[in-house]
Amino acid sequence: VEYDGTAYAGFQWQPQQPSVQAALEAAIRVVTGKESRVIAAGRTDAGAHALGQVIAFTTSTRLDEATLVRALNAHLPPDIVIQSIETVDPTFHPRFDAISREYHYLLFNRPTPSPLWRNRALHVPYTLELRTMQVAAQKLVGQHDFTAFSGTAPLSSSEHRQCTVRELYDVGVEQCSNLVRIRFVGNAFMKHMIRTIVGTLLRVGSGRMSIAEFEEIFRSHDQRRAGPTVPAYGLYLVRVNYPTESQSQ
Amino acid sequence: VEYDGTAYAGFQWQPQQPSVQAALEAAIRVVTGKESRVIAAGRTDAGAHALGQVIAFTTSTRLDEATLVRALNAHLPPDIVIQSIETVDPTFHPRFDAISREYHYLLFNRPTPSPLWRNRALHVPYTLELRTMQVAAQKLVGQHDFTAFSGTAPLSSSEHRQCTVRELYDVGVEQCSNLVRIRFVGNAFMKHMIRTIVGTLLRVGSGRMSIAEFEEIFRSHDQRRAGPTVPAYGLYLVRVNYPTESQSQ
């Protein structure tokens, strides 16, 4: 599923607020005639976007996959589009079965903001040292305790030390004209983790923080020394990967 | 000036409808304290965008250019952004002094539409032969009578034969992932001309029209044989070029 998250209070259903989940469930209800609960690979924050969200739902419809795609898209608002549907084993779970996720964070780097990238990329008016940001970002690759970058997200009571360990497979800082893309591939991400990494990398890129200091903060597990959590509207869930055998039956 | 044209009835002022011109004139009035008439290099249609529109206005403000940019942007809506301001000779006219213009038309080519490119690129669900489109587009380069592509734009009574001659310096069809960019550089363009060329090129790209037929229609000057005029929301005014000496004093 692709969506422009601008108009939504996030993926997850919330009382009296528009959510991507509620829009999907409403379209499924109209097309199949029955209520279905939608489960997603990742719950994106309010304003965040998706190019490759993966959802699952159970239905007894007789429509084939291609017809179901067309019918659901006809009943979805234009800012949510289903790309494809596959029939899977009933045990498939989009979140628990995922082996890795790819997220992008977009920066628009120019003195003046962009009208066409508003709500889609964070405007950064100052000059960025992208090579330095790239070197700092590489320090995150591997299996680590990411507590320092858990940002403003409150840890729930059930979470303990072990839950802040994640594995990052790849991070990259790439530029195309005024657009800077920071790419993250990892097994899983904590809420606000990418947005706090980006906020801290921006301090490195603007020269307010050295690479050594960045690494020191990361190793210290001290949230208070990290940079700010940047807005969700620059964040995109790009891809969710599954082991080949569990993705479809 | 850059703008997202989605919310506007076009660049030009119109009674009781939002226009880019009215928004710019309102901001200038607030910042300088005086009414100014804004003149543009090109009047974009309702829904069309600009990355490099050029406007001119007369003011006696004592603010320097950089301060004026910031002050005007602070009073403009977020879908219109002034990139820079230069003081020019009072005889400068953004339309008459321009020696060439560059426009892009964007297609989003995939079976399902894109939520993030809606209002910004035309969704083309069928397969396109881009190389064939590129070959056909090359036939337009040079000085020609573009009557065949004047589309649905009514010719005003003051226009006669000579007015339909334009010179195209460059046309190119490029692809990046699902996005197809058709690039036009020319001395000037008639209303609806690019959108009708794109509509006709789409017939070539989908195999419904041969390159020979495309060229025949172009040479025939027969508007009725051209393809449809595609929507304005895929169109971007990217750049306006001036002779070096007349651009700034």
Side-chain angles (χ1 to χ4, degrees), chain B residues 107-112 121-130 175 177-180:
Chain B
L107 309 172
F108 192 83
N109 189 22
R110 192 181 62 182
T112 51
L122 177 66
H123 175 225
V124 177
Y126 47 82
T127 307
L128 288 174
E129 263 297 334
L130 298 181
Q175 185 180 26
S177 183
N178 297 314
L179 215 58
V180 176

Side-chain angles (χ1 to χ4, degrees), chain A residues 93-231:
Chain A
H93 192 290
R95 186 158 81 254
F96 302 144
D97 289 354
I99 50 171
S100 69
R101 285 120 172 123
E102 178 169 345
Y103 284 90
H104 293 173
Y105 196 92
L106 295 188
L107 309 172
F108 193 82
N109 189 22
R110 192 180 62 182
T112 51
S114 162
L116 286 152
W117 285 96
R118 75 188 197 287
N119 302 326
R120 285 167 161 71
L122 177 67
H123 176 225
V124 177
Y126 46 81
T127 306
L128 288 173
E129 263 298 333
L130 297 181
R131 278 229 306 259
T132 318
M133 288 171 72
Q134 168 75 23
V135 173
Q138 294 312 307
K139 308 290 182 190
L140 307 174
V141 173
Q143 188 173 299
H144 301 286
D145 181 336
F146 281 92
T147 301
F149 299 126
S150 55
T152 50
L155 293 177
S156 76
S157 59
S158 68
E159 283 182 291
H160 43 79
R161 198 71 181 172
Q162 209 180 344
C163 292
T164 55
V165 172
R166 298 289 186 281
E167 185 166 1
L168 224 64
Y169 304 124
D170 196 14
V171 193
V173 180
E174 288 152 38
Q175 185 179 25
C176 174
S177 184
N178 297 314
L179 215 57
V180 176
R181 184 178 78 176
I182 312 182
R183 182 175 165 270
F184 298 86
V185 185
N187 65 341
F189 296 89
M190 288 183 285
K191 191 171 167 70
H192 294 189
M193 175 177 151
I194 292 176
R195 291 162 53 193
T196 311
I197 292 174
V198 171
T200 314
L201 284 175
L202 282 173
R203 293 214 168 152
V204 174
S206 63
R208 288 170 293 165
M209 185 187 286
S210 69
I211 294 173
E213 218 175 327
F214 178 85
E215 201 172 2
E216 220 284 293
I217 289 168
F218 179 38
R219 304 284 173 215
S220 74
H221 308 152
D222 187 352
Q223 293 170 239
R224 295 164 304 177
R225 298 173 62 195
T229 303
V230 290

